[in-house]
Amino acid sequence: MLKIKMTDFKKQVFAVVKKIPKGKVLTYGQVAQKLGNKNLARAVGNALNKNHNKSVPCHRVVRGDGRVGGFNRGIKNKIVILKKEGVKIINGKIY
DNA sequence: CCCCTGACACTTA
DNA sequence: ATAAGTGCCAGGG
């Protein structure tokens, strides 16, 4: 029934993102680097965007510029969640 | 197999 | 600081 069509790459991304501790945020580049290639930043975002798994704290993944990036649930929601976690966000910027 | 899209990062102007 | 261009990779049609 559940046909988990998770490609290895996606699984890797989720594994790393799931490891992100509360109140902490990693950049797509950091996650990509953990996967073995910092250039995978794009692919990382792609995986999260196509897989809005609530089991994955995708809201803890931000851009390298300090911006939040995006969130399939609503970027606004992402910011609120992060702030609740303890992350300081000013003007939509990760502090 | 080819083409396009995308929640990025970096460099140059 | 902002804008535009380039490079990288994976997924979907």
Side-chain angles (χ1 to χ4, degrees), chain A residues 35-70:
Chain A
L35 297 178
N37 270 308
K38 65 174 165 73
N39 299 5
L40 288 173
R42 242 181 192 164
V44 172
N46 243 69
L48 294 170
N49 169 243
K50 287 170 171 170
N51 292 277
H52 52 91
N53 237 316
K54 65 175 175 45
S55 306
V56 182
C58 33
H59 57 264
R60 289 194 191 141
V61 187
V62 297
R63 289 192 23 167
D65 303 274
R67 286 289 183 186
V68 291

Side-chain angles (χ1 to χ4, degrees):
Chain A
M1 32 106 40
L2 267 336
K3 187 135 60 105
I4 45 210
K5 220 141 79 38
M6 291 279 229
T7 54
D8 294 329
F9 178 70
K10 277 162 132 186
K11 286 199 274 197
Q12 287 167 89
V13 177
F14 295 136
V16 175
V17 176
K18 278 178 184 179
K19 284 168 192 157
I20 302 176
K22 177 166 124 33
K24 180 74 166 213
V25 291
L26 283 178
T27 67
Y28 296 96
Q30 290 297 305
V31 177
Q33 189 154 41
K34 281 170 192 289
L35 297 178
N37 270 308
K38 65 174 165 73
N39 299 5
L40 288 173
R42 242 181 192 164
V44 172
N46 243 69
L48 294 170
N49 169 243
K50 287 170 171 170
N51 292 277
H52 52 91
N53 237 316
K54 65 175 175 45
S55 306
V56 182
C58 33
H59 57 264
R60 289 194 191 141
V61 187
V62 297
R63 289 192 23 167
D65 303 274
R67 286 289 183 186
V68 291
F71 198 48
N72 23 37
R73 287 322 234 175
I75 184 60
K76 188 91 166 175
N77 196 326
K78 181 174 181 175
I79 296 171
V80 175
I81 295 169
L82 284 170
K83 284 175 85 170
K84 265 179 188 279
E85 298 276 295
V87 179
K88 221 73 156 174
I89 301 178
I90 301 176
N91 219 351
K93 207 3 196 115
I94 302 295
Y95 194 70

